[in-house]
Amino acid sequence: MPDFGYFLSSEEHGPAELVEQARMAEQAGFDSLWISDHYHPWNDNQGQSPFVWTVIGALSQAVSLPVETAVTCPVLRTHPAVIAQAAATSAAALGGRFRLGVGTGEALNEHILGTHWPEASVRLEMLEEALQVIRKLFTGERTSHYGKHYTVENARLYTLPDEPIPIDVSAFGPQAAEVAARIGDGLITTMPDTTLVERFRRAGGTTKPVYGGPKVCWGTDRQEARRTAHRLWANEQLPGELAQILPTPSHFEQASELVTEDQVASSVPCGDDPDAHLEALTAFVDAGFDTVYVSQIGKDQQGFFDFYRTKILPQLRA
């Protein structure tokens, strides 16, 4: 039986709310935490985007659960040497209860410095080199690196955890899954895609963990929950590479006008039917995931946590 974690949405909630949700998640019986790392929300209705490393510092003092970024992009917006320091400090503060989740990012967050947004194959190449830099620095040794994409001179991390920091790699396609198997300590993906998991396993990820999970919108009024999910997360239904190349929340809002409420409700459990929520999580269990993270859409977090504490987690663990 996999573990079940909670996904803290930095796009929807400010820092104090995220810390309080982490406390509620621990009290409800969740095993671990994911937290998103964004500069912008996907749309203005979501309305937040706090600096993830500050929030992780607060989490280290508020809860005893493991924490992972889902996911950080060490490719453009932040140099991998800086990400290495942030991750090492987070792991030290959390007593080793930290995993660094990384991916190739989205223009939404990464273009803000005016840097050219490369195509996906180049970003994968950059990610691989970035992880080389990060892992060198995680040794605690003085590091210099002169690569195709990054330069580091005489850098050394003095604050490190006692144990090595695992690095999990996000992937949504076959090429990225193979890269994740080769350079990552685990796979992160958001869909219960059995084929992708099998591709990861065959490419070298046989004994490495797989992480993922759904968004849900719990509420006693199913129609209101459907409206909330559509208003806040219609962007999840955009096809192809749009999520990677659209540059601003306004562009996502324009594209999301093509997404109907029925489309969102077809993939997001809405309401308080336990069977619908169990079905969504069981799909990840059946696909071979080791930890399943669930994210509640909207403001009624306490109601969600009460529902999962009493109706969902006990059945999943029975």
Side-chain angles (χ1 to χ4, degrees):
M1 178 60 65
D3 289 335
F4 295 93
Y6 187 69
F7 192 170
L8 297 166
S9 175
S10 298
E11 302 93 324
E12 282 190 62
H13 307 285
E17 294 173 297
L18 293 169
V19 172
E20 181 58 27
Q21 289 166 26
R23 291 192 182 101
M24 290 191 288
E26 185 166 31
Q27 292 165 3
F30 283 94
D31 299 304
S32 55
L33 298 169
W34 262 1
I35 184 167
S36 52
D37 180 0
H38 270 238
Y39 195 90
H40 294 138
W42 297 99
N43 55 63
D44 283 353
N45 281 328
Q46 291 175 352
Q48 292 286 342
S49 205
F51 188 56
V52 70
W53 303 106
T54 303
V55 180
I56 289 172
L59 293 174
S60 73
Q61 302 303 300
V63 296
S64 62
L65 298 179
V67 178
E68 178 167 20
T69 53
V71 295
T72 291
C73 178
V75 169
L76 285 174
R77 170 170 49 111
T78 312
H79 193 283
V82 177
I83 295 296
Q85 185 184 29
T89 299
S90 297
L94 284 157
R97 295 175 286 111
F98 179 76
R99 298 181 76 94
L100 176 62
V102 299
T104 56
E106 304 89 14
L108 174 73
N109 301 304
E110 305 305 320
H111 85 289
I112 58 168
L113 302 179
T115 309
H116 169 68
W117 182 239
E119 62 183 42
S121 61
V122 176
R123 300 199 309 274
L124 275 173
E125 178 182 278
M126 295 174 74
L127 179 64
E128 184 164 357
E129 185 180 336
L131 293 198
Q132 292 173 8
V133 170
I134 291 168
R135 285 198 166 103
K136 286 179 183 178
L137 287 165
F138 280 173
T139 66
E141 298 177 358
R142 190 174 68 177
T143 296
S144 293
H145 174 92
Y146 302 94
K148 181 177 179 179
H149 301 287
Y150 305 107
T151 298
V152 177
E153 287 189 339
N154 300 322
R156 179 184 171 190
L157 296 182
Y158 282 81
T159 299
L160 290 163
D162 294 333
E163 300 294 330
I165 302 167
I167 304 175
D168 303 318
V169 177
S170 173
F172 297 96
Q175 181 185 1
E178 291 178 0
V179 172
R182 180 164 50 82
I183 69 174
D185 297 307
L187 172 70
I188 291 173
T189 190
T190 57
M191 298 297 292
D193 187 338
T194 303
T195 302
L196 188 73
V197 173
E198 291 174 350
R199 185 78 171 251
F200 173 74
R201 300 290 190 206
R202 289 196 303 270
T206 306
T207 61
K208 298 177 180 180
V210 178
Y211 304 100
K215 285 183 171 57
V216 305
C217 191
W218 177 87
T220 55
D221 184 332
R222 183 171 182 271
Q223 292 305 313
E224 180 59 29
R226 281 170 55 104
R227 288 190 290 269
T228 297
H230 179 254
R231 177 173 58 86
L232 294 176
W233 285 95
N235 59 280
E236 289 268 294
Q237 298 301 308
L238 295 177
E241 293 186 63
L242 286 178
Q244 282 73 53
I245 64 174
L246 293 178
T248 69
S250 295
H251 288 96
F252 277 93
E253 290 163 11
Q254 293 165 19
S256 295
E257 290 178 5
L258 302 174
V259 178
T260 67
E261 185 179 303
D262 286 342
Q263 285 176 291
V264 174
S266 69
S267 63
V268 175
C270 295
D272 59 355
D273 178 4
D275 289 340
H277 290 258
L278 289 166
E279 182 181 357
L281 273 68
T282 301
F284 286 87
V285 177
D286 293 343
F289 283 67
D290 295 281
T291 304
V292 183
Y293 291 87
V294 59
S295 180
Q296 161 70 356
I297 296 172
K299 296 294 185 182
D300 194 352
Q301 297 288 321
Q302 185 63 66
F304 161 84
F305 284 116
D306 288 343
F307 176 69
Y308 266 66
R309 177 178 54 80
T310 59
K311 300 290 181 64
I312 303 301
L313 293 179
Q315 290 199 58
L316 289 169
R317 291 166 174 154

